[in-house]
Structures are given as structure tokens and as C-alpha cells.
Amino acid sequence: MTPHDIEHHDTETPAGHHLSLVDRYRLQTWFLGIIALSMVLFMLVQARFILISLVIAIILFSLTADAISAFSRLRIGSWRITNWLASMAAFTMIAVVLLTLSAIVISQVNTVVTTTLTYTDQAIAAVARLAALFSPEAEAAVEASIRSIQVSTYITTAAGQAGNILSATTLVILFVGFLFAERLWFNTKLENLMHDKARARRVGRIIHSIVRRVNHYLLVKTGVSVATGAAVYLVMTAFGLEFAAPMAILTFILNYIPSVGSIIANILLGLVALIQVQEPATALLIFVLGGMIQFVLGSVIDPMLMGRALRVSSFGIIVSLSFWGAVWGIPGMFLAVPIMVATMIVCSHIPAARPVAVLLSREGLPEIEEDDPEPEGLARAAE
């Protein structure tokens, strides 16, 4: 029964019975919502490999869309760079970069796993020495507890999962290629879908705002992560430690996970230092230096460069990390902030969902600027 049917029965149904019909309709709506949410969560979990690859492909496509439109307007004498040529060049660049990064990550993972298995006993002894600082009895207890976990088994399993990187990279490249192929007709499809040019332009501005904010976030995060990884490499090299390059790459990757990633990276840095130097004071110094690097670049430089482009709640980021981490695992934690930014912007334009956007925003002001320029990479793709 719909609300219209309930109103129609209002004049011929007793008040008590009328309230029961309203309650029944609301209960039915809640049950349908719960079922729909359960189905969405089920699909997110079951199709996570394809969905994660698709989201990454969309992000990579959006990163290059504006650049392609800019290049397509360039002229070299009487020769003009066409959209097709610029798109092919961008697609080739993305494919080469992704395959190169995948090869580097896989080789570094194999190196780290092989070396970690060699240093397992030393790592357990190093952690036990830390426990001995509190009480002599704790050293033996901590060592026995860690050995019962069978760390080598977990490390080998994690290394096996790293082989999925190449399959995911191939799927992402395919998705990006099809997105570039569909790019030329995006504007036409949007107008036909909306049945209104004004509404299509409004949707195009929303999409452009999402792309602009996510691109700014990723560019700033990449620059800060590169600087952090380089600083960690220099610190480890200065102290004569091994694994400087793998730790720098791991720090670079983990810094894409807000808050949690930098903490994990610094803990791993301190543990690697403790295994190699055999002196808790020197390892503590390296740990403190790594923490200072993470604080200055992550808590001072990063917010300054980010500016007002990423006005999202810190608590919302933690909730998003927890949710997408539970649904999609570690890749979900990397994608949590871009998905949260897109959700906030979309909800800010839907009156019924505006409270969600207000909660996700930092100052309770989730609106985008009304004078945003027209989308270069999307709305003008058909030119």
C-alpha cells in the first residue's frame, strides 16, 4: 500500500486503524531498505575484484581527462592534436606506468618476503628485548607468544596474494581503454539520459567538481608520499640500514591511507631498525626521526597544500576507512577518501540526502562553488 492509498482511506477509516496502516507502511519501507542494503553489501563483497579495478580505472581516467582536452586544443603550425591522438597517448602512458609499477611492487614484495623469512628469528628476539625493558619475565612470555603465531605462514600467504596485482593491473588497463573509447559520446549520453540540457549541464558540473577535488587530493597525496618515502630512504641510508629502497616504497604506498598508514609505516621502520642495529637507543632515534618526518609532512605540509579542496570530516575519514576496509580490504582503505569525497558532493545536491553531506563535511558546509568552470574532460569531450 502506498501513501496515496493511505490518504484515500483517511476519510473512511477509523483513526486507530489509520495509524496502524501508516505504521505498517513504514515498517514495510524499513524492511525493503534493509533488504536492499544487504543486497548491495553482498554485491560489493562478491564483486570486489572487478569493482575495485573499475574504481581505480575511473580515477586514472579522470586524472588525464582534463589534460587530454588541453592537449587536443594545441596547434603546431597547421597541425592540430586530435582528441583521438591525445587519448591514445594518455592510454599508452597509463598502461606503461601501471605495468612498470606492478613489476616494481612484485619484485620488492618478493625481496622483502625472502629477507623477512631470514630475519624472522631476529625480529622475534628484538621484540622480546623490548618487553624485557619492563620485566625479565615478560621477554620469554612475549617470545613464546609471537612464535605461536607462525609469522612465516602469514608472510608467505601475503606474498601469494601479491601475485593478483598483475591480474588487477591488466583489468584496470582494459577498463581505462574502454572509458577512453566512450569518452567522445559522454556528453550526448548525459543529455539523452537527463532529457534536459540544463539538468545535464548541472550533472556535468557535479561530476567535474568530484573529479577536480579527487584529482587535487591524489596529486597532493602523491607529492607528500614521494617526499616522505625519499626522507625515509635518506634516514635509513644515513644509518647504514638495509632495505632502504623497499621501506621507502612501502612508506610511499602506506601514506595513501590517511592517519593509519603513516603510523603503520613508522612502526615498521622502527622494527626494521631494531632488528639491524641491535641497540634500542639507536632504533628509538630512528623511530623518532621517522615520526617527525611523518608529522611534518603529513600534519603540516599536507593540510597546507590540500587547502579547502578536501573539506571532509576527520571522523568521517576514520569511519570510511573502517567500512571500506571491512568490505574491500586494503584496496578499500586506499579508495576510502575518494569515494567519501564523491559521496559528500553527490549528497550535497540531493535535498533528502543533504544531512549525510553535512555530517561528512568538515565545517558542515559541503557545497561546491557555484562558479565552477565547465567540465573540460567530460562535458566537452564530444568536441
Side-chain angles (χ1 to χ4, degrees):
M1 180 174 290
T2 63
H4 176 72
D5 297 330
I6 295 175
E7 292 178 0
H8 178 70
H9 287 16
D10 188 19
T11 57
E12 56 189 51
T13 306
H17 187 55
H18 172 70
L19 290 177
S20 66
L21 291 177
V22 172
D23 293 338
R24 187 182 305 173
Y25 174 76
R26 289 176 179 174
L27 186 61
Q28 179 184 4
T29 303
W30 274 101
F31 274 125
L32 291 176
I34 293 173
I35 293 173
L37 179 60
S38 301
M39 293 180 62
V40 170
L41 290 176
F42 177 78
M43 293 300 299
L44 286 175
V45 173
Q46 294 300 316
R48 59 183 175 183
F49 183 79
I50 296 176
L51 292 176
I52 290 171
S53 302
L54 179 60
V55 173
I56 295 175
I58 292 174
I59 291 175
L60 292 175
F61 170 75
S62 67
L63 282 171
T64 56
D66 288 346
I68 290 173
S69 296
F71 278 113
S72 64
R73 291 193 297 271
L74 294 178
R75 292 183 179 274
I76 303 176
S78 59
W79 183 65
R80 179 176 177 269
I81 300 176
T82 62
N83 255 309
W84 178 85
L85 183 60
S87 299
M88 287 298 299
F91 173 72
T92 304
M93 181 190 67
I94 290 175
V96 171
V97 170
L98 286 179
L99 291 174
T100 303
L101 289 177
S102 299
I104 292 174
V105 170
I106 292 175
S107 64
Q108 292 297 327
V109 167
N110 292 332
T111 302
V112 170
V113 168
T114 303
T115 311
T116 302
L117 293 175
T118 305
Y119 279 88
T120 300
D121 292 336
Q122 298 183 26
I124 294 174
V127 175
R129 286 201 308 272
L130 288 178
L133 298 177
F134 299 95
S135 66
E137 295 80 9
E139 181 176 1
V142 170
E143 184 173 354
S145 299
I146 297 177
R147 290 188 184 279
S148 65
I149 299 176
Q150 297 180 349
V151 179
S152 59
T153 304
Y154 288 103
I155 294 175
T156 306
T157 304
Q161 294 179 354
N164 296 329
I165 294 177
L166 190 58
S167 302
T169 301
T170 304
L171 188 58
V172 168
I173 292 173
L174 289 175
F175 279 142
V176 171
F178 283 110
L179 285 173
F180 277 125
E182 293 289 327
R183 176 176 175 271
L184 297 176
W185 295 281
F186 178 81
N187 196 32
T188 303
K189 288 184 177 181
L190 187 61
E191 289 183 1
N192 293 333
L193 183 64
M194 297 290 104
H195 301 290
D196 184 2
K197 289 187 176 181
R199 185 180 299 176
R201 284 195 297 269
R202 185 167 181 265
V203 173
R205 284 195 297 269
I206 295 174
I207 295 174
H208 177 64
S209 179
I210 295 173
V211 170
R212 179 175 55 81
R213 289 200 192 182
V214 171
N215 287 356
H216 185 81
Y217 165 77
L218 291 176
L219 291 175
V220 171
K221 207 68 179 175
T222 299
V224 173
S225 298
V226 168
T228 307
V232 169
Y233 178 84
L234 293 176
V235 169
M236 295 188 68
T237 304
F239 281 90
L241 300 178
E242 299 179 7
F243 318 125
M247 279 303 304
I249 294 175
L250 185 60
T251 302
F252 167 78
I253 295 174
L254 288 176
N255 266 264
Y256 279 95
I257 302 177
S259 305
V260 180
S262 59
I263 296 174
I264 296 175
N266 200 41
I267 291 175
L268 292 176
L269 174 63
L271 182 59
V272 170
L274 182 63
I275 294 172
Q276 298 186 45
V277 299
Q278 302 294 326
E279 297 177 3
T282 306
L284 180 61
L285 176 60
I286 296 173
F287 178 78
V288 171
L289 289 175
M292 292 174 61
I293 292 171
Q294 295 283 1
F295 175 78
V296 172
L297 292 176
S299 300
V300 179
I301 305 298
D302 192 320
M304 289 174 56
L305 296 177
M306 203 69 71
R308 297 176 61 84
L310 195 71
R311 299 179 299 182
V312 292
S313 167
S314 300
F315 178 73
I317 291 177
I318 298 300
V319 173
S320 182
L321 284 175
S322 303
F323 174 79
W324 291 109
V327 174
W328 285 351
I330 295 178
M333 299 180 74
F334 286 98
L335 299 173
V337 174
I339 294 175
M340 179 181 173
V341 172
T343 303
M344 183 186 72
I345 295 176
V346 171
C347 290
S348 68
H349 289 81
I350 302 175
R354 177 175 166 76
V356 176
V358 172
L359 292 175
L360 293 179
S361 63
R362 182 181 300 170
E363 305 95 350
L365 301 172
E367 288 81 2
I368 61 174
E369 294 80 2
E370 293 298 330
D371 58 347
D372 274 347
E374 289 293 325
E376 295 288 343
L378 297 175
R380 300 181 61 179
E383 293 183 358

